[in-house]
Amino acid sequence: MRVIGGQAKGRSLRVPRGRGVRPTADRVRETLFNWLQGEVEGSVALDLFAGSGALGIEALSRGADHATFVESARGAQAALRENLALFGEDPRIRVVSASAWRFLEGPAERPFDLVFLDPPFGHGWAARAAAVLEEGGWLAQEARIFLEVGGDEDPPAVPAGWRDDRRGSCGESAFHLYRREG
């Protein structure tokens, strides 16, 4: 797995091992960031359920001003920290070693422009996270939210005011790009 574009283009990323580990495919990331062209530079990103951090790293590589990575699994945290080392000591990066739910219990420190939601499939967590993000003040007025679910799952319920701008599928996953209309 590699960074697709930007300053870190071509750099290899470590993928955490284990059952249920399913990093977002290169083709999906390439499609997503083509869709987001012109919206990443200067943005504030949240990679919830970060895993390897590939989505947030791609945003940083393409000029995001800041990225917060939230991950609770120790193996994934180790891979994430190794992958983030390619940026050195970078004040644009924050790693939160906690579950997404614990992180979202706290107050929203800032609204995020870009949110990457790629939770474990089959638990209904995508819809739950979308609701908590909306209700908790975590989203900028016109935030872009990428959501990936299992290809055999129905699209998750999302808050009113989230417009499904784009969608696609790849392998065993389906993905959506929403625009929050504040």
Side-chain angles (χ1 to χ4, degrees):
M1 195 163 84
R2 298 187 177 280
V3 178
I4 303 297
Q7 74 179 43
K9 181 179 181 176
R11 292 286 192 70
S12 293
L13 296 174
R14 182 173 163 232
V15 177
R17 294 182 184 183
R19 287 182 338 134
V21 174
R22 172 202 43 68
T24 301
D26 288 357
R27 273 188 17 207
V28 174
R29 284 185 289 118
E30 183 173 13
T31 298
L32 168 63
F33 284 92
N34 284 339
W35 290 345
L36 289 172
Q37 196 166 6
E39 297 185 61
V40 177
E41 192 167 336
S43 66
V44 177
L46 171 62
D47 194 345
L48 202 59
F49 309 99
S52 67
L55 292 165
I57 288 169
E58 197 72 50
L60 286 169
S61 180
R62 294 168 186 252
D65 278 353
H66 178 85
T68 297
F69 298 84
V70 180
E71 180 55 55
S72 62
R74 290 181 195 246
Q77 288 174 12
L80 173 61
R81 290 184 191 284
E82 187 176 313
N83 291 337
L84 288 170
L86 69 94
F87 292 100
E89 292 295 321
D90 192 327
R92 300 178 305 154
I93 297 169
R94 177 178 177 218
V95 176
V96 178
S97 298
S99 74
W101 313 119
R102 177 140 320 208
F103 174 74
L104 293 172
E105 284 175 358
E109 299 158 8
R110 61 172 55 156
F112 290 98
D113 304 303
L114 298 175
V115 177
F116 306 109
L117 293 176
D118 185 9
F121 292 170
H123 298 285
W125 290 358
R128 179 178 167 199
V132 173
L133 286 163
E134 182 66 37
E135 293 164 6
W138 293 94
L139 302 172
Q141 189 169 13
E142 292 188 3
R144 301 294 297 217
I145 304 101
F146 170 78
L147 201 148
E148 188 170 355
V149 295
D152 59 347
E153 295 178 54
D154 290 330
V158 296
W162 285 26
R163 186 179 74 222
D164 193 352
D165 271 356
R166 306 265 183 132
R167 62 177 63 189
S169 63
C170 179
E172 296 179 8
S173 70
F175 50 94
H176 303 261
L177 181 62
Y178 295 93
R179 178 179 301 277
R180 180 176 187 255
E181 297 175 330

